[in-house]
């Protein structure tokens, strides 16, 4: 039975202050005589540390393992050192292949197990598998493995791979990774990072992330990274412009839209131009972009008319040269068409564009100098056929002189009607077959 007072019986379970020789009952005997015989021993003698030797004294030299790489995830070590039992080959869609030496037990068990690999290892006993991923997902794959191998579940996520890690979490069925990356994105999604998340979310069909990023881009459109916005696909950019959350000055919006059109000129269509230049959100055009957007309107929106049309808004932009220079440019186009013998019966000039057999011939940017004293374009650079180039120097100089000094009048020899040839300009006579002789 325990001694009076309820003091612990076994010394190894008691603290240093609780250990008293008179109260200790050793494993050899419980006799009171033994207790009395040890009562003269001090606490210092009982607390002696005995030297039992080291691990190196009991093993053969060379058998002691090197633990200097213990902090490195096993998949990053050599396959023979880490005893890897499976290989994953990841091919990026943008080019490049990487092979990872992994371990089945880590990827398919534990708190960070992946449902994908559980099924794979159960149904396919093979030693390797191949995956094809988008570029950002391929770049994020090592971060994903580090997370799976981490004892604390540490995730080294960054903006450019945030959406890719969320896609990987869903694809491989890793709920722990999904919770971690969602918590990271919620903090990291700002107006500075929104364009990147928007583009990446669209790539991986992450609808909720895409909607959140698009809303952030629209709310902070004036402050968002201009270079990142220009890189967005046409459908994504038009979604931002059409968003009810868009807040942007009309003239600034017209500059952003004009820059986007320049960067995506090969993808520009009438539908896209209508979508990104709505009169409701862009009632005013920046004067510096009026000429460029007017040209786009002539080329892609020939049927658009009315007060709110893009052409009319460009004309109202307040550029002091746009109306005068458009008239001059239209006359120059007419002159060039005459020189090329392109104009036939049935041609007409409507709304700033020459129409020929249903084809709209827009006012090209190289025919629209911003202001004098920019020189007139040389006819040889405008007139295409080799038979014309170099044969009309005299007539060209007269046209150039008259155009510059008398902008409201054609050069010597006026045009007669919409389909009439030039007359009276020496060296510019029409001959049969459409060729010119000078």
């Amino acid at each position: 039975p325990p001694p009076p007072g309820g003091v612990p019986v076994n010394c190894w379970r008691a603290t240093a202050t609780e250990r008293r020789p008179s109260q200790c009952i050793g494993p050899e005997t419980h006799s009171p005589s033994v207790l009395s015989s040890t009562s003269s021993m001090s606490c210092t003698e009982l607390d002696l540390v005995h030297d039992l030797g080291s691990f190196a004294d009991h093993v053969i030299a060379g058998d002691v393992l090197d633990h200097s790489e213990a902090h490195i995830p096993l998949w990053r070590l050599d396959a023979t050192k880490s005893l890897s039992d499976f290989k994953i080959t990841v091919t990026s869609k943008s080019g490049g292949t990487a092979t990872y030496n992994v371990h089945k037990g880590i990827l398919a068990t534990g708190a960070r197990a992946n449902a994908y690999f559980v099924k794979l290892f159960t149904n396919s006993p093979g030693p390797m598998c191949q995956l094809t991923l988008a570029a950002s997902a391929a770049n994020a794959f090592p971060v994903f493995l580090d997370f799976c191998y981490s004892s604390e579940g540490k995730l080294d996520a960054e903006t450019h791979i945030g959406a890719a890690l969320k896609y990987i979490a869903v694809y491989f069925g890793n709920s722990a990774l999904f919770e971690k990356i969602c918590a990271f994105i919620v903090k990291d999604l700002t107006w500075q990072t929104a364009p990147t998340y928007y583009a990446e979310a669209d790539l991986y069909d992450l609808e909720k992330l895409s909607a959140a990023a698009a809303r952030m881009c629209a709310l902070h459109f004036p402050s968002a990274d201009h270079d990142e916005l220009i890189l967005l696909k046409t459908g994504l950019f038009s979604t931002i412009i059409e968003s009810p959350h868009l807040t942007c000055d009309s003239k600034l919006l017209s500059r952003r839209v004009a820059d986007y059109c320049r960067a995506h000129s090969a993808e520009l269509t009438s539908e896209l131009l209508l979508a990104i230049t709505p009169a409701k959100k862009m009632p005013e055009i920046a004067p510096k972009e009026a000429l460029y957007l007017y040209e786009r309107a002539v080329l892609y929106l020939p049927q658009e008319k009315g007060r709110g049309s893009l052409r009319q808004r460009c004309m109202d932009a307040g550029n002091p040269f746009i109306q005068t220079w458009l008239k001059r440019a239209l006359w120059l186009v007419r002159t060039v068409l005459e020189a090329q013998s392109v104009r036939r019966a049935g041609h007409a000039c409507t709304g700033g564009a020459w129409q020929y057999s249903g084809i709209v011939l827009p006012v090209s940017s190289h025919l629209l100098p911003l202001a004098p004293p920019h020189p007139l374009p040389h006819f040889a650079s405008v007139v295409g056929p080799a038979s014309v180039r170099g044969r009309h120097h005299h007539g060209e100089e007269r046209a150039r002189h008259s155009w510059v000094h008398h902008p409201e009048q054609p050069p010597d020899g006026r045009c007669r009607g919409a389909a009439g040839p030039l007359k009276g300009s020496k060296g510019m006579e029409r001959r049969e077959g459409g060729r010119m002789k000078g």
Side-chain angles (χ1 to χ4, degrees), residues 342-372:
V342 173
R343 294 179 66 243
R344 306 290 188 196
H347 289 60
C349 177
T350 58
W354 286 97
Q355 295 184 358
Y356 173 66
S357 300
I359 301 175
V360 177
L361 304 176
V363 179
S364 300
S365 57
H366 65 278
L367 295 177
L368 290 173
L370 292 178

Side-chain angles (χ1 to χ4, degrees), residues 361-424:
L361 304 176
V363 179
S364 300
S365 57
H366 65 278
L367 295 177
L368 290 173
L370 292 178
H374 289 211
L376 280 172
H378 196 278
F379 272 25
S381 66
V382 180
V383 180
S387 59
V388 176
R389 292 197 298 269
R391 293 191 179 186
H392 302 290
H393 178 73
H394 178 68
E396 170 194 341
E397 289 302 323
R398 296 185 65 181
R400 182 194 302 273
H401 180 274
S402 176
W403 196 76
V404 172
H405 296 284
H406 305 283
E408 300 301 328
Q409 299 179 3
D412 184 21
R414 297 176 177 272
C415 298
R416 292 190 312 167
L422 285 173
K423 292 183 63 179

Side-chain angles (χ1 to χ4, degrees), residues 411-436:
D412 184 21
R414 297 176 177 272
C415 298
R416 292 190 312 167
L422 285 173
K423 292 183 63 179
S425 181
K426 190 174 181 180
M428 299 185 70
E429 299 175 1
R430 186 187 306 277
R431 75 175 184 181
E432 190 174 355
R435 294 294 185 88
M436 307 292 295

